[in-house]
Amino acid sequence: MVTESFPRPIGTRRRFSALLAATALGVYLLLIVGATTSLTNAAASCSTWPTCHTPVDPLNQTELAIAWGHRIAAVVVGLLVAMTAIAAALGDVSRRVRATLVVAAVLYAVQVGVGAVTATTGPDAILPGLHLALGLVIFTGVVVALAWDLEIATGTEDDAIDSPEPIEELEDGPAAPERTLPTSRLARGRLTAVAYFRMMKPRLMWLLCLVAAAGMALAAGDSLEIYTIVATLGGGVLAIGASGTFNHVLERDVDQKMSRTADRPLAVDLIPVRNALLFGAALTAASLAAFLTINRLAAALGLAAIVFYSVVYTLLLKPNTVQNTVIGGAAGALPALIGWAAVTNTIGWPGLALAGVIFLWTPAHFYNLALAYKDDYARGGFPMMPVVRGETVTRKHILYYIAATLVSSIALALLTDLGVLYAGTVVIFGGVFLWAAVRLHFEQTEAAAFRSFHASNAFLGAVLVAILIDALAF
């Protein structure tokens, strides 16, 4: 007879993990609803507790609905927090997980009390921001407990790579066919054009352009000019192309050691290094020319993005430190500042907040790819997190950075006028991303890593589109 690790109806470790994930998402939903209540001043329409009286002014019905939604969500989430704490107290979990969840439950009760006082006596009755701060601490605690629990339940002590297997041809297998160029000039020209296009890393362009567009939308709202859009996105595409080209040049020798990059144009000598360098320089010049038609700050930030990715990340960070992905996230965050600067010719807090979301999202996103290509990165000599610290630690850090990304998304909402569309998008797609990361812990396959990778892309893409619509249309 199998003994259950947790009290019924939880029973199994997987169900407890699902409860923890649901609790984390519920607390986050409550944070978003609470932030919306604060931004819309909906709390003013409900000055009683625990229920709300109907306001005399009919214009306050919308605010009343938001306030009621906050109260109802607080009850549901409170039940989840209590269930999680009870399951941890009676179940087979580590001491730190149990202590963290019990403390989170106690803090939740304190937060309810703070909310009651704030609702009945006004926001200045207690330290401003205390209610939100407690919510952030509770959310962080639940996610950290989830990461710790999954580490124990699904991880292994040492799964790092010491000596990767090189790429070798099978002794008795057929030799790899020699690459031959087409004889037709048209076919060779098409092949060369495709090679130059591949060096520009076009797969990165759509997402980074969305980041820049979101920065512009936050800065300008519905007054955003067409020329600013075209010049900024055009300069951005050229800057991405230049960065990708220089990256191909600098990593051409290492690319030959990795199966996923062995067919890159410079790794197979399809394009001469000199030509690639000239192409990268031309793209850089064209990018700066496009940005300069807007303002010098946008041009300076565009040049900084090219230099950071091409030199700082490719040459210094990627081959030398396990934190390469974390620090390298600055390259993906710069388009947010470029978009903001293109409109305002300054660097403002909303632009920095958007850049912060991208910066914190990057490790949660890229660590999935590093898991899928762990052996390949080891052959290339890159100290990626799964290679140096192992898969267990990497999966745990994915959850950490998902939590940090979601918290930074709240900061962005508080600094801008983003509304319900943005909040709903973050909660829904954040939930999908979190659930994919939890499944990754249990499945531990390449397919699961790619599922989490695509969920991270879907999260950021959807959030950026929501920002565009919210800022431009509402």
Side-chain angles (χ1 to χ4, degrees):
M1 181 177 179
V2 179
T3 304
E4 293 183 337
S5 302
F6 296 88
R8 293 185 178 183
I10 305 303
T12 65
R13 170 74 61 181
R14 189 155 191 159
R15 286 180 181 174
F16 178 69
S17 297
L19 176 62
L20 260 177
T23 302
L25 189 60
V27 174
Y28 186 73
L29 172 63
L30 187 59
L31 284 170
I32 287 287
V33 174
T36 303
T37 303
S38 176
L39 290 172
T40 58
N41 200 29
S45 67
C46 182
S47 59
T48 57
W49 192 89
T51 60
C52 293
H53 295 164
T54 304
V56 177
D57 185 356
L59 294 177
N60 289 332
Q61 291 293 340
T62 301
E63 288 81 358
L64 180 66
I66 295 174
W68 262 114
H70 188 206
R71 302 281 174 92
I72 294 171
V75 172
V76 175
V77 173
L79 292 174
L80 283 173
V81 171
M83 286 176 58
T84 303
I86 293 170
L90 301 177
D92 181 21
V93 298
S94 67
R95 184 176 299 176
R96 64 178 182 175
V97 170
R98 183 180 295 112
T100 301
L101 292 175
V102 170
V103 169
V106 172
L107 288 178
Y108 192 85
V110 174
Q111 187 191 28
V112 170
V114 172
V117 174
T118 302
T120 55
T121 61
D124 296 328
I126 299 181
L127 183 66
L130 178 60
H131 190 65
L132 176 61
L134 286 170
L136 292 174
V137 171
I138 294 167
F139 172 70
T140 303
V142 173
V143 174
V144 168
L146 173 63
W148 286 344
D149 186 65
L150 288 173
E151 180 184 22
I152 295 173
T154 66
T156 56
E157 290 186 5
D158 185 13
D159 51 6
I161 294 180
D162 294 324
S163 53
E165 293 291 331
I167 301 177
E168 294 179 354
E169 297 291 339
L170 296 176
E171 291 183 5
D172 300 328
E178 253 184 70
R179 181 178 59 84
T180 57
L181 294 175
T183 55
S184 164
R185 285 187 177 182
L186 181 61
R188 291 183 67 173
R190 185 183 298 113
L191 181 65
T192 302
V194 169
Y196 276 103
F197 184 65
R198 284 184 61 198
M199 284 197 304
M200 295 174 67
K201 296 197 172 183
R203 291 182 180 179
L204 298 178
M205 291 178 178
W206 72 272
L207 197 57
L208 293 176
C209 283
L210 262 181
V211 173
M216 286 187 284
L218 287 175
D222 57 7
S223 62
L224 186 59
E225 298 178 356
I226 296 296
Y227 179 80
T228 303
I229 298 173
V230 173
T232 304
L233 296 185
V237 166
L238 294 167
I240 296 165
S243 302
T245 300
F246 291 135
N247 175 266
H248 275 244
V249 171
L250 295 170
E251 291 187 346
R252 63 189 183 279
D253 294 331
V254 177
D255 284 342
Q256 295 173 354
K257 303 176 183 178
M258 301 171 60
S259 58
R260 66 181 285 261
T261 58
D263 65 340
R264 283 182 172 176
L266 272 79
V268 296
D269 297 323
L270 183 60
I271 294 177
V273 173
R274 185 191 66 174
N275 291 6
L277 286 171
L278 290 173
F279 182 62
L283 290 174
T284 301
S287 172
L288 294 179
F291 283 135
L292 283 171
T293 63
I294 308 170
N295 59 59
R296 292 181 180 179
L297 179 58
L301 291 170
L303 180 60
I306 296 172
V307 173
F308 187 89
Y309 185 80
S310 304
V311 179
V312 178
Y313 175 70
T314 301
L315 285 182
L316 302 178
L317 297 175
K318 191 174 180 181
N320 294 309
T321 174
V322 71
Q323 297 299 327
N324 48 22
T325 300
V326 177
I327 305 171
L334 279 169
L337 299 181
I338 293 172
W340 182 272
V343 173
T344 66
N345 200 22
T346 62
I347 295 177
W349 285 112
L352 286 170
L354 178 60
V357 172
I358 308 303
F359 180 80
L360 294 169
W361 166 87
T362 301
H365 163 75
F366 189 79
Y367 281 160
N368 295 289
L369 197 64
L371 284 169
Y373 292 117
K374 172 184 174 182
D375 295 330
D376 227 9
Y377 281 118
R379 280 191 291 266
F382 294 120
M384 297 300 180
M385 180 72 75
V387 177
V388 177
R389 303 278 176 83
E391 295 185 14
T392 300
V393 173
T394 304
R395 289 191 296 267
K396 179 175 67 174
H397 279 252
I398 289 173
L399 288 176
Y400 287 165
Y401 279 104
I402 288 176
T405 302
L406 294 177
V407 169
S408 66
S409 300
I410 294 177
L412 178 60
L414 293 173
L415 289 169
T416 61
D417 295 326
L418 297 172
V420 176
L421 176 63
Y422 170 78
T425 303
V426 170
V427 169
I428 292 171
F429 285 88
V432 172
F433 189 10
L434 180 62
W435 186 246
V438 172
R439 286 188 64 184
L440 173 63
H441 279 75
F442 286 100
E443 296 184 16
Q444 299 181 17
T445 61
E446 184 178 305
F450 275 116
R451 184 191 303 122
S452 185
F453 175 79
H454 293 310
S456 69
N457 267 334
F459 167 79
L460 187 61
V463 167
L464 292 172
V465 170
I467 291 173
L468 284 171
I469 297 174
D470 223 336
L472 296 176
F474 296 103

